[in-house]
Amino acid sequence: DYETIESVIASLEEKMEQLEEELPKYSRDFVKLNEITKQKEETEAMLAAMQQKYDREHGAWSDSILQSIVRM
């Protein structure tokens, strides 16, 4: 479902922004910096997976519409 995927992508993008903002705060706390970096990497991976899913869904949806138009 597009709306769900878009919502998840928006949430992950927001989380990425928050993590980016936190990185400089912990530049001297290597344990916390490592933790935030790991969270950022995990979030990036989830975001990439959701974007791929969105692209696949969008492609299937576009193909379906084009086929419907061609049949007219």
Side-chain angles (χ1 to χ4, degrees), residues 44-70:
E44 285 174 333
M46 288 187 289
L47 180 57
M50 290 305 294
Q51 287 172 330
Q52 287 176 346
K53 182 175 181 173
Y54 178 86
D55 290 343
R56 280 193 308 271
E57 295 286 328
H58 186 278
W61 180 75
S62 295
D63 290 346
S64 175
I65 289 174
L66 287 174
Q67 289 175 5
S68 296
I69 292 171
V70 169

Side-chain angles (χ1 to χ4, degrees), residues 27-50:
S27 62
R28 296 180 190 262
D29 183 344
F30 295 110
V31 173
K32 185 70 173 175
L33 185 62
N34 191 35
E35 179 185 315
I36 292 171
T37 301
K38 184 176 179 181
Q39 288 177 9
K40 185 176 173 276
E41 289 170 354
E42 291 170 354
T43 304
E44 285 174 333
M46 288 187 289
L47 180 57
M50 290 305 294

